[in-house]
PDB file of all heavy atoms in Angstrom:
ATOM      1  N   LYS A 427      -9.338  -8.783   5.638  1.00 94.00           N
ATOM      2  CA  LYS A 427      -8.616  -9.624   4.803  1.00 94.00           C
ATOM      3  C   LYS A 427      -9.375 -10.156   3.494  1.00 94.00           C
ATOM      4  O   LYS A 427      -8.849 -10.093   2.511  1.00 94.00           O
ATOM      5  CB  LYS A 427      -8.060 -10.894   5.621  1.00 94.00           C
ATOM      6  CG  LYS A 427      -7.015 -10.615   6.543  1.00 94.00           C
ATOM      7  CD  LYS A 427      -6.511 -11.880   7.132  1.00 94.00           C
ATOM      8  CE  LYS A 427      -5.390 -11.797   8.071  1.00 94.00           C
ATOM      9  NZ  LYS A 427      -4.845 -13.053   8.610  1.00 94.00           N
ATOM     10  N   ILE A 428     -10.613 -10.388   3.768  1.00 97.00           N
ATOM     11  CA  ILE A 428     -11.546 -11.077   2.715  1.00 97.00           C
ATOM     12  C   ILE A 428     -12.704 -10.358   2.498  1.00 97.00           C
ATOM     13  O   ILE A 428     -13.386  -9.854   3.441  1.00 97.00           O
ATOM     14  CB  ILE A 428     -11.739 -12.550   3.167  1.00 97.00           C
ATOM     15  CG1 ILE A 428     -10.429 -13.371   3.298  1.00 97.00           C
ATOM     16  CG2 ILE A 428     -12.741 -13.063   2.053  1.00 97.00           C
ATOM     17  CD1 ILE A 428      -9.824 -13.656   1.941  1.00 97.00           C
ATOM     18  N   LEU A 429     -13.033 -10.211   1.193  1.00 98.00           N
ATOM     19  CA  LEU A 429     -14.332  -9.539   0.845  1.00 98.00           C
ATOM     20  C   LEU A 429     -14.989 -10.490  -0.025  1.00 98.00           C
ATOM     21  O   LEU A 429     -14.402 -10.927  -1.076  1.00 98.00           O
ATOM     22  CB  LEU A 429     -14.118  -8.224   0.174  1.00 98.00           C
ATOM     23  CG  LEU A 429     -15.370  -7.486  -0.349  1.00 98.00           C
ATOM     24  CD1 LEU A 429     -16.296  -7.160   0.711  1.00 98.00           C
ATOM     25  CD2 LEU A 429     -15.015  -6.387  -1.316  1.00 98.00           C
ATOM     26  N   ARG A 430     -16.236 -10.866   0.283  1.00 98.00           N
ATOM     27  CA  ARG A 430     -17.071 -11.714  -0.674  1.00 98.00           C
ATOM     28  C   ARG A 430     -18.102 -10.790  -1.234  1.00 98.00           C
ATOM     29  O   ARG A 430     -18.864  -9.926  -0.547  1.00 98.00           O
ATOM     30  CB  ARG A 430     -17.838 -12.772   0.202  1.00 98.00           C
ATOM     31  CG  ARG A 430     -18.667 -13.833  -0.623  1.00 98.00           C
ATOM     32  CD  ARG A 430     -19.352 -14.667   0.282  1.00 98.00           C
ATOM     33  NE  ARG A 430     -20.396 -14.095   0.966  1.00 98.00           N
ATOM     34  CZ  ARG A 430     -20.686 -14.442   2.295  1.00 98.00           C
ATOM     35  NH1 ARG A 430     -20.141 -15.488   2.844  1.00 98.00           N
ATOM     36  NH2 ARG A 430     -21.661 -13.767   2.907  1.00 98.00           N
ATOM     37  N   THR A 431     -18.425 -10.860  -2.449  1.00 97.00           N
ATOM     38  CA  THR A 431     -19.408 -10.125  -3.159  1.00 97.00           C
ATOM     39  C   THR A 431     -20.193 -11.006  -4.178  1.00 97.00           C
ATOM     40  O   THR A 431     -19.654 -12.221  -4.442  1.00 97.00           O
ATOM     41  CB  THR A 431     -18.757  -8.939  -3.949  1.00 97.00           C
ATOM     42  OG1 THR A 431     -18.302  -9.459  -5.170  1.00 97.00           O
ATOM     43  CG2 THR A 431     -17.789  -8.246  -3.222  1.00 97.00           C
ATOM     44  N   ASP A 432     -21.187 -10.564  -4.653  1.00 95.00           N
ATOM     45  CA  ASP A 432     -21.825 -11.242  -5.934  1.00 95.00           C
ATOM     46  C   ASP A 432     -20.977 -10.797  -7.022  1.00 95.00           C
ATOM     47  O   ASP A 432     -20.159 -10.040  -7.114  1.00 95.00           O
ATOM     48  CB  ASP A 432     -23.361 -10.978  -6.080  1.00 95.00           C
ATOM     49  CG  ASP A 432     -23.596  -9.503  -6.199  1.00 95.00           C
ATOM     50  OD1 ASP A 432     -22.734  -8.630  -6.421  1.00 95.00           O
ATOM     51  OD2 ASP A 432     -24.820  -9.114  -6.037  1.00 95.00           O
ATOM     52  N   ASN A 433     -21.402 -11.369  -8.256  1.00 91.00           N
ATOM     53  CA  ASN A 433     -20.593 -11.174  -9.418  1.00 91.00           C
ATOM     54  C   ASN A 433     -20.933  -9.729 -10.088  1.00 91.00           C
ATOM     55  O   ASN A 433     -20.295  -9.212 -11.013  1.00 91.00           O
ATOM     56  CB  ASN A 433     -20.901 -12.226 -10.577  1.00 91.00           C
ATOM     57  CG  ASN A 433     -22.346 -12.227 -10.974  1.00 91.00           C
ATOM     58  OD1 ASN A 433     -23.251 -11.424 -10.589  1.00 91.00           O
ATOM     59  ND2 ASN A 433     -22.626 -13.298 -11.691  1.00 91.00           N
ATOM     60  N   GLN A 434     -21.928  -9.005  -9.393  1.00 92.00           N
ATOM     61  CA  GLN A 434     -22.122  -7.640  -9.817  1.00 92.00           C
ATOM     62  C   GLN A 434     -21.588  -6.625  -8.733  1.00 92.00           C
ATOM     63  O   GLN A 434     -21.687  -5.403  -8.899  1.00 92.00           O
ATOM     64  CB  GLN A 434     -23.656  -7.462  -9.933  1.00 92.00           C
ATOM     65  CG  GLN A 434     -24.325  -8.156 -10.930  1.00 92.00           C
ATOM     66  CD  GLN A 434     -23.814  -7.866 -12.314  1.00 92.00           C
ATOM     67  OE1 GLN A 434     -23.607  -6.806 -12.798  1.00 92.00           O
ATOM     68  NE2 GLN A 434     -23.440  -8.925 -13.165  1.00 92.00           N
ATOM     69  N   LEU A 435     -20.730  -7.124  -7.838  1.00 94.00           N
ATOM     70  CA  LEU A 435     -20.118  -6.362  -6.894  1.00 94.00           C
ATOM     71  C   LEU A 435     -21.132  -5.530  -5.986  1.00 94.00           C
ATOM     72  O   LEU A 435     -20.745  -4.430  -5.485  1.00 94.00           O
ATOM     73  CB  LEU A 435     -19.128  -5.413  -7.464  1.00 94.00           C
ATOM     74  CG  LEU A 435     -18.001  -6.131  -8.103  1.00 94.00           C
ATOM     75  CD1 LEU A 435     -17.062  -5.014  -8.829  1.00 94.00           C
ATOM     76  CD2 LEU A 435     -17.065  -6.999  -7.343  1.00 94.00           C
ATOM     77  N   LYS A 436     -22.292  -6.041  -5.788  1.00 91.00           N
ATOM     78  CA  LYS A 436     -23.330  -5.378  -5.039  1.00 91.00           C
ATOM     79  C   LYS A 436     -23.457  -5.817  -3.586  1.00 91.00           C
ATOM     80  O   LYS A 436     -23.516  -4.987  -2.662  1.00 91.00           O
ATOM     81  CB  LYS A 436     -24.695  -5.233  -5.731  1.00 91.00           C
ATOM     82  CG  LYS A 436     -24.575  -4.507  -7.070  1.00 91.00           C
ATOM     83  CD  LYS A 436     -25.976  -4.528  -7.736  1.00 91.00           C
ATOM     84  CE  LYS A 436     -25.962  -3.675  -9.019  1.00 91.00           C
ATOM     85  NZ  LYS A 436     -27.211  -3.890  -9.799  1.00 91.00           N
ATOM     86  N   ASP A 437     -23.671  -7.102  -3.387  1.00 94.00           N
ATOM     87  CA  ASP A 437     -23.847  -7.701  -2.121  1.00 94.00           C
ATOM     88  C   ASP A 437     -22.394  -8.029  -1.525  1.00 94.00           C
ATOM     89  O   ASP A 437     -21.830  -8.885  -1.908  1.00 94.00           O
ATOM     90  CB  ASP A 437     -24.724  -8.981  -2.263  1.00 94.00           C
ATOM     91  CG  ASP A 437     -24.883  -9.621  -0.939  1.00 94.00           C
ATOM     92  OD1 ASP A 437     -24.816  -8.834   0.104  1.00 94.00           O
ATOM     93  OD2 ASP A 437     -25.392 -10.792  -0.894  1.00 94.00           O
ATOM     94  N   LYS A 438     -22.025  -7.190  -0.507  1.00 96.00           N
ATOM     95  CA  LYS A 438     -20.614  -7.204  -0.114  1.00 96.00           C
ATOM     96  C   LYS A 438     -20.593  -7.562   1.440  1.00 96.00           C
ATOM     97  O   LYS A 438     -21.480  -7.201   2.261  1.00 96.00           O
ATOM     98  CB  LYS A 438     -19.915  -5.905  -0.244  1.00 96.00           C
ATOM     99  CG  LYS A 438     -19.865  -5.422  -1.680  1.00 96.00           C
ATOM    100  CD  LYS A 438     -19.251  -4.070  -1.788  1.00 96.00           C
ATOM    101  CE  LYS A 438     -19.119  -3.643  -3.284  1.00 96.00           C
ATOM    102  NZ  LYS A 438     -18.644  -2.273  -3.348  1.00 96.00           N
TER     103      LYS A 438
END
Side-chain angles (χ1 to χ4, degrees):
K427 290 184 177 181
I428 296 290
L429 177 65
R430 184 186 67 212
T431 79
D432 60 13
N433 59 9
Q434 298 299 313
L435 299 176
K436 293 180 179 179
D437 184 15
K438 300 177 182 178

